[in-house]
Amino acid sequence: MKKNIVIANWKMNPQSAQEARRLFDTITKGIRRVKKTDVVICPPFVHLPDVKSVRHTQKVFLGSQDIFWEEKGAYTGEISSRMLQSFGVTHVIIGHSERRRWLGETDEMINNKIKTALKAGLVPILCVGEWVREIPGEIPDIVENQVRSALKGLKKGDFKNGIIAYEPVWAIGTGRPETPDNAAKAALFIRKIVRDILGKKTAEHIRVIYGGSVNAENAASFISKDIRGMEGILVGGASLRADDFIKIVKSV
Ligand code: PGA
């Protein structure tokens, strides 16, 4: 059976290598006996070599917050899949709403990044979600469009190890999460779209997870008992507080 997964997105934090090491050290010590849940930590690129040196358990996967779609060359400021893999990165967040908003990432760029990650054997964590809450419990068309365009051109089976994070933007960093019931509905909806594009096998194999104001108190409520529901969470703010993040992983 698939394990649930907890992913930490540190975003542009912490500010020094020393703090990054300390945070990673405390978290990986705190969760080294956890067996039933996969854990991925995504620090900023520059902290990857530092945190790698204080990993207390190989069971914690390293992820990055982005990737570039070309493999090498004249792309100032960008990071390639091979560079990431040389630091032990196995997972990559793609299409986070903050990159869509502040860096102008388009659906086409996201689609290219997904293809590059898959080609390199990295696990893509595709982020989708609507900007504003319209009718509670109804998943707006934009989510379907984001999923369809991100997976465009993939062959059946290509994305079977992929992860899709449903992150309603209005819930990110606001302290106002989606309800677990509505999140579970979104998971079903996303799986249905994936089934339509890439077939039943892939739809059953991928993991759909929730992100947006997850904390130590509400984390476990997002994990569905039903295998078709949410199978993990993506945690921003609370992943920067070691105690909270350890509690989140243990509660899941
Ligand atoms: P948050 O962020 O947990 O701080 O709401 C989640 C995310 O952006 O992935």
Side-chain angles (χ1 to χ4, degrees):
M1 209 181 116
K2 255 184 293 174
K3 287 183 191 173
N4 290 321
I5 188 164
V6 178
I7 302 173
N9 176 10
W10 286 3
K11 308 191 179 184
M12 202 169 69
N13 303 289
Q15 300 309 306
S16 71
Q18 198 190 5
E19 286 170 277
R21 266 200 307 273
R22 202 183 309 132
L23 182 58
F24 199 84
D25 180 76
T26 315
I27 290 173
T28 55
K29 248 188 218 147
I31 59 176
R32 75 185 152 205
R33 293 212 173 77
V34 171
K35 290 202 181 78
K36 293 190 184 138
T37 303
D38 285 333
V39 179
V40 184
I41 299 182
C42 307
F45 294 130
V46 290
H47 294 325
L48 285 169
D50 282 303
V51 299
K52 206 175 152 228
S53 68
V54 290
R55 178 153 52 170
H56 287 279
T57 161
Q58 293 302 318
K59 278 178 279 171
V60 173
F61 297 104
L62 264 185
S64 69
Q65 299 172 17
D66 188 29
I67 186 174
F68 192 58
W69 59 80
E70 293 292 346
E71 285 170 11
K72 61 178 172 182
Y75 303 101
T76 303
E78 292 303 330
I79 308 279
S80 72
S81 52
R82 293 250 320 266
M83 292 174 190
L84 293 172
Q85 285 171 314
S86 72
F87 285 107
V89 166
T90 51
H91 293 64
V92 49
I93 297 175
I94 296 176
H96 191 278
S97 60
E98 285 149 17
R99 296 199 59 84
R100 294 182 194 252
R101 172 183 286 167
W102 304 115
L103 283 304
E105 270 193 19
T106 63
D107 286 331
E108 194 189 353
M109 291 179 194
I110 290 161
N111 177 239
N112 287 334
K113 289 181 178 193
I114 297 270
K115 286 177 180 156
T116 301
L118 290 172
K119 192 170 164 212
L122 291 160
V123 178
I125 305 160
L126 165 67
C127 298
V128 296
E130 73 277 11
W131 299 97
V132 285
R133 179 172 224 177
E134 289 165 9
I135 305 162
E138 245 177 54
I139 298 97
D141 290 347
I142 184 172
V143 175
E144 173 161 3
N145 296 341
Q146 287 172 341
V147 174
R148 285 191 183 277
S149 45
L151 304 182
K152 207 167 158 182
L154 298 187
K155 290 195 289 300
K156 280 194 177 163
D158 283 352
F159 194 74
K160 71 176 191 310
N161 295 322
I163 299 170
I164 300 183
Y166 172 61
E167 298 207 298
V169 184
W170 50 266
I172 295 179
T174 58
R176 291 185 290 112
E178 179 53 286
T179 63
D181 275 359
N182 286 345
K185 271 188 209 155
L188 274 172
F189 177 77
I190 288 169
R191 250 180 239 283
K192 239 167 76 188
I193 303 164
V194 174
R195 184 187 165 132
D196 188 37
I197 316 170
L198 297 173
K200 189 167 169 230
K201 264 202 186 140
T202 298
E204 282 175 1
H205 210 272
I206 60 160
R207 287 197 272 206
V208 183
I209 66 174
Y210 169 76
S213 295
V214 173
N215 59 37
E217 280 72 50
N218 65 22
S221 67
F222 289 106
I223 306 296
S224 302
K225 308 271 180 299
D226 174 356
I227 53 160
R228 300 279 123 72
M230 287 291 173
E231 294 169 332
I233 44 181
L234 179 49
V235 189
S239 72
L240 297 168
R241 300 184 293 272
D243 287 355
D244 282 3
F245 189 68
I246 293 166
K247 269 193 215 145
I248 289 174
V249 172
K250 289 186 174 167
S251 76
V252 167

